[in-house]
Amino acid sequence: MPARHRIRSEREQLELFRALPGDLAPRDAQDLMAYPFFSLAKTHRTTPIDYRMNDIAIRVEAVPEHGMATIWDADVLIWAASQIVQARDSGLRTSRLMAATPYEILRFIGRGTSARDYHRLKAAFDRLQSTTVATSLRQASERRMHRFSWINEWTEHADAHGNTAGIDLIVPDWFYRAVLDDALVLTIDRAYFALTGGLERWLYRLVRKHAGKQRAGWRFDFRHLYTKSASLSPFKRFAFELRDIARRQPLPGYRLGVDRASGGRELLAFVSDTSLSTRACGQALEALVPSGTAGHVPSGTAPSCYQEPEAALSPSTSNASEPPNLDSNEESNSSVVGGAVDRGKPGREER
């Protein structure tokens, strides 16, 4: 009888990529910035995320032992994306099998390097490995689902004294392919890692994804943001926290404000700090004026001249006469989570 061929493990089929040294620019995958893939709470979450928008479906499930991967755990994926992009841009061979020391990862994501921090990092690996995602995002057919975990597997290596000397991990093909595509990766501010609130972190990533450096900024309806976040907090609590974030202005590189649309709906408006400080009077706007003016504002129109940063977007509420999310993209304005529907008008999105 012919000898049976041993099936090679996934690890044996991949070439090992060792983490690059140095202070790399942090990069984030746009899909992870735009859609609800992670728990925003530090508490143990096992309630699934079930998100549907047009032909896009996302289902995130956790096991009771570890709970769902959190937005803080996603820092490991930001580290991985940054390594892959830097290696590719340097002409080096990349791989889904990545090797690094816990110290290198912790330093990159702005954490401490104590024994407690090492323990928390390993707990993050467990949550990333045990959390499963099923999504139709970036699939050829809307009826085709791709199922994966954020880490396929991970291995800890110890030195002669039993101390952790290194970690190998395998990122999923779905994530790896997105990172290798320039259009699906954005550089983020390193100050992101200092944000302590889950909602702050999620909001920064969403703002960076949709507003980017567009000089006229962007707006979202509070209810729409609530839907996109997949938060388990009551809406009133969620809205209170949004107003508080607009008051404190913690997001690096962006200014936030709260407007009111007709009917009393609250809108969160955001614009980049550079837009507020560098725009010349009379320059045409490219997207949306945060005050509620719809459409493109002609060159020379007075409201387009933001000479005083505080006047452009203040934390206090103001009145807006137009509906929310004008000129925003279709992906972000027609979504269903748990039966809630929010629709808006299609438009542009910065890459």
Side-chain angles (χ1 to χ4, degrees):
M1 294 180 63
R4 291 184 178 180
H5 295 286
R6 184 175 67 89
I7 299 176
R8 298 174 65 195
S9 68
E10 182 180 28
R11 179 188 176 87
E12 292 175 314
Q13 298 176 50
L14 296 171
E15 183 176 339
L16 183 66
F17 168 76
R18 297 194 178 277
L20 301 175
D23 190 18
L24 280 60
R27 271 94 170 203
D28 205 352
Q30 289 196 44
D31 289 339
L32 275 61
M33 302 165 81
Y35 295 100
F37 283 110
F38 302 99
S39 170
L40 305 186
K42 293 181 179 179
T43 54
H44 195 85
R45 173 170 177 167
T46 56
T47 303
I49 293 174
D50 196 0
Y51 178 92
R52 291 180 293 113
M53 182 279 300
N54 294 334
D55 59 346
I56 294 175
I58 296 172
R59 172 82 176 181
V60 184
E61 296 176 297
V63 297
E65 180 181 359
H66 299 294
M68 184 177 294
T70 71
I71 199 163
W72 293 273
D73 300 337
D75 288 356
V76 173
L77 299 177
I78 295 176
W79 167 83
S82 305
Q83 286 284 335
I84 293 168
V85 171
Q86 183 64 41
R88 181 203 60 195
D89 292 349
S90 300
L92 302 176
R93 186 185 297 273
T94 62
S95 174
R96 293 195 293 116
L97 173 59
M98 308 179 70
T101 64
Y103 177 84
E104 290 172 321
I105 298 175
L106 289 169
R107 286 297 301 272
F108 179 85
I109 62 178
R111 310 277 180 89
T113 55
S114 67
R116 185 181 184 187
D117 293 307
Y118 280 69
H119 177 74
R120 287 179 171 177
L121 179 63
K122 289 189 286 185
F125 288 149
D126 283 338
R127 284 188 293 271
L128 290 165
Q129 194 275 328
S130 61
T131 298
T132 59
V133 179
T135 182
S136 62
L137 189 62
R138 289 193 287 108
Q139 299 305 301
S141 169
E142 65 184 57
R143 288 185 289 273
R144 178 185 173 190
M145 299 290 284
H146 192 127
R147 183 176 290 275
F148 59 91
S149 296
W150 292 117
I151 293 179
N152 287 10
E153 63 178 73
W154 69 278
T155 305
E156 181 183 13
H157 302 286
D159 60 21
H161 303 286
N163 300 316
T164 302
I167 288 176
D168 299 346
L169 59 89
I170 300 176
V171 295
D173 184 63
W174 185 91
F175 171 78
Y176 184 71
R177 285 187 287 111
V179 169
L180 285 180
D181 184 346
D182 267 330
L184 295 177
V185 177
L186 289 174
T187 301
I188 64 173
D189 196 309
R190 184 163 291 280
Y192 165 80
F193 296 120
L195 296 175
T196 58
L199 187 58
E200 290 176 3
R201 284 173 155 250
W202 170 80
L203 193 59
Y204 170 80
R205 298 172 87 189
L206 188 74
V207 167
R208 176 67 185 94
K209 156 72 175 170
H210 291 293
K213 297 184 188 222
Q214 295 188 63
R215 285 173 291 192
W218 212 264
R219 290 188 304 159
F220 276 119
D221 179 276
F222 271 35
R223 283 281 180 185
H224 183 65
L225 289 173
Y226 183 61
T227 297
K228 285 185 71 69
S229 72
S231 172
L232 294 180
S233 296
F235 175 71
K236 286 186 177 181
R237 177 65 188 178
F238 179 87
F240 172 82
E241 292 181 354
L242 283 185
R243 296 185 209 103
D244 185 60
I245 291 173
R247 178 186 61 81
R248 293 185 289 107
Q249 300 294 339
L251 303 193
Y254 295 95
R255 293 282 296 173
L256 307 178
V258 178
D259 289 340
R260 286 194 181 274
S262 55
R265 288 191 300 171
E266 289 181 287
L267 316 174
L268 186 72
F270 37 90
V271 68
S272 68
D273 275 344
T274 54
S275 299
L276 295 172
S277 60
T278 62
R279 184 184 307 164
C281 186
Q283 186 172 351
L285 297 181
E286 297 179 352
L288 175 72
V289 179
S291 64
T293 303
H296 187 90
V297 178
S299 176
T301 304
S304 69
C305 305
Y306 290 108
Q307 297 177 346
E308 296 294 334
E310 291 298 326
L313 279 176
S314 66
S316 60
T317 59
S318 60
N319 291 325
S321 58
E322 296 295 334
N325 304 328
L326 298 175
D327 290 342
S328 56
N329 64 80
E330 185 175 16
E331 293 177 358
S332 295
N333 292 289
S334 180
S335 56
V336 181
V337 176
V341 180
D342 194 8
R343 303 187 183 278
K345 298 181 180 180
R348 295 178 299 176
E349 175 180 345
E350 173 167 320
R351 294 292 181 185

